[in-house]
Amino acid sequence: MSDYPRYTPEEEDRIIEDAYAEVLQAYLRSNHRKKVEIIEKAFRFAKEAHKGVRRRSGEPYILHPIAVAKIVITELGLGSTSICAAFLHDVVEDTDYTREDIEAIFGTKIADIVEGLTKISGGIFGDKASIQAENFRKLLLSMSSDIRVVLVKMADRLHNMRTLGSMRPEKQYKIAGETLYVYAPLAHRLGLFKIKQELEDLAFKYEHPQKYAEIMSKLEATASHREEIVEQFVKPVRQKLDAAGFRYEIKARVKSAYSIYNKMENKQVPFEEIYDIYAVRVIFENDDDALEKIRCWQIYTFFTDGHTVHPDRLRDWTSTPKANGYRALHLTAMGPEGKWIEVQIRSRKMDIVAELGYAAHWKYKTGVYDDDAELDKWVNTIKDILANPEPDAVDFLDTIKLNLFSSEIFVFTPKGDLQRLPAGSTVLDLAFAIHTELGIHCIAGKINHRLVPLSYRLDSGDQVEIITSDSQTPQPEWMEFCHTAKAQNRLRNILRKDRKALAGRGEKLYLDFLAKQGMEPSDAIMKKILANYRLPAPSDFYMMLANDEINISAKKIRELGKNRSSLMSKLLRNPFSSSFSLKKPSLPEVAGRKKSPVNRKEVYILHPDGNPPNYRFDTCCSPIPGDDVLGFVDDDENVVLHKVSCPNAMRLKSAFGSRLVATQWGGKADKFIVTISVDGIDRHGILEDITQTLSRQLGVNIRGLNITAREELFHCDLTVQTDSTATVDVICRELKKIKDVKIAKRVS
């Protein structure tokens, strides 16, 4: 049912024309060379092409391309070519017009961008894994040829997220999931900070609506108090900036709802215990680039004079910018009421790059091509990955994600060359980053005259020498030591070749063995062998045979031939990638029960009190009533539950959106097991107080208890039986009331 107001055709046309006028005015206010004629032509063409078509919300479809064009000019700062592409981005996909039509009217550049956007339409994911990988590859390939393709796509995704409320719940999960999985990290890597933050917050709003509302409500309730604290904090600094003749502005910035939620989840603390919600940004005008860094440090001293500075939270991004071009000086100082406040010091130029990213200020705006631009370096790493793409879609997406998340370290070669790597990178990652041959023959590293193994994790500032040996060859366990996309990609390719040769030798041994026994190879025999050894594929069996890890005999083969077990035949129908667990959890079969298809367009009500429940759990997470969960419909129409925040759920939302169903808890059942972590000051009788509070006061069934004390502190892991998150909250609250208990939180 559409919630869009009813308008007359004349009123609707006026709304469309007014929306277009806003785009045009924004363009005329920009510093771009004014090409109004082609923009007008693109709008009129798109308006006619989409005439009579409406979005799911009920509004005329043309309002979507107009909104995308507005984001392109006002939030990304792009010019006429990108604005035209935004107006036309769905024309080839949704109408009878072709790429050739667009090229004939608007030229090759605009046609190329529209074609690039058409290739990756409908999100970057289809229902089939191979399509996902191919579409994502197309997105990245188009980015390496014309960055404007991905920037217009980012604007398209942002508007889709802003209007996601009109979609069905399971579609909201899918779109929010792929936004968090790919688009937000991509925006981060391109330096589009504001867009990245909004995408994360919008995805969070639809994945965890209740938690989002709670956090926003608390932020609103504490807003005036926050402003008082920040103003008190910056008052002495303002005086110093004025005295030194700075032209500046100071902005108070609050941590995003998604960031607050992540910190609450990771640290298992309530909103009130998040101490770095406060942040201040000082932006100063600067006419001389040579003085930019000096002025940052001068302002830094204004803060250190009157405040206590956190010694471990100084970040100098002025000397070594982040990979997305971000430059600033960060410090954290103690403010009023014992609140830590993060301070970001930037010049106006730094601020523009931080907010809009290098992408928007690349060659299309200046006409200057800079071979050393950070964006070019990143695009080159993408090309490197694309040169040897993963055959498996989910592996491919994971490999790309390693490069999208850019928390980085900087290390040096023995000659002093700087190498930038993701945080957590090892000696092996560095070896592959320098050269593939170095990675293949790497046996160890040397840091500060100290030998370290391949798996050693590097820190910023390390000077690393790679030790090699001609006799060294890559091993499968090396995959555990690789944290960069390049190292994983190269290593997989090398191991795949070795694996293929080994499997070939094993297959020959198997066929020779059957020939000697006078037996014909068949799928039936192979299925029984795989079931017997619990192996996923014949290649695994062949490899184990070649490695002498399996011995087969004629008697064993004949026994397997007689066994009618259908277990493996079921398993072999599983269409999913083996790169992550999607095993069907065990559930007793009910005689005579025939599963009816799950209606994925309606909210699926969960009944934990059913016998059996109308859902299953996977092994990766343990949701209980009250947790935000999504349902995944497997081959047998069973609904498998995952917490929305579970890493496997993230992949499912991205890769298998058509199999998702929105869920809602329809009851409780006192049969869920959770673990609660308790910490505090050790004293005589503390354990008795804990058990009495749980057993006598709350009537909780304790299923396990492990307590340890060291010096003056104790730590206790409690396993309890409960019915919902609300009960767990009550348990934690009551435990905190016990004298000397300082922390009580759910950990599983």
Side-chain angles (χ1 to χ4, degrees), residues 136 140 189 378 380-390 395-406 420-426 428-430 432-433 436 478-479 481-494 496:
F136 196 44
L140 296 167
R189 203 64 170 85
W378 184 57
N380 285 336
T381 68
I382 294 296
K383 286 179 180 174
D384 194 47
I385 294 165
L386 295 170
N388 295 283
E390 287 295 319
D395 279 353
F396 178 75
L397 293 176
D398 283 347
T399 302
I400 294 292
K401 275 198 70 174
L402 286 172
N403 270 26
L404 295 183
F405 287 113
S406 59
R420 176 188 274 125
L421 296 165
S425 292
T426 62
L428 190 59
D429 288 314
L430 176 62
F432 275 108
T436 301
W478 283 16
M479 287 301 297
F481 311 152
C482 293
H483 295 272
T484 61
K486 182 174 182 178
Q488 286 195 356
N489 213 44
R490 292 286 188 268
L491 189 55
R492 274 201 195 98
N493 284 339
I494 295 160
R496 199 175 286 122

Side-chain angles (χ1 to χ4, degrees), residues 413-443:
T413 66
K415 292 181 180 178
D417 295 329
L418 180 71
Q419 292 282 338
R420 176 188 274 125
L421 296 165
S425 292
T426 62
V427 169
L428 190 59
D429 288 314
L430 176 62
F432 275 108
I434 296 170
H435 198 281
T436 301
E437 285 300 309
L438 206 60
I440 291 170
H441 299 296
C442 177
I443 56 171

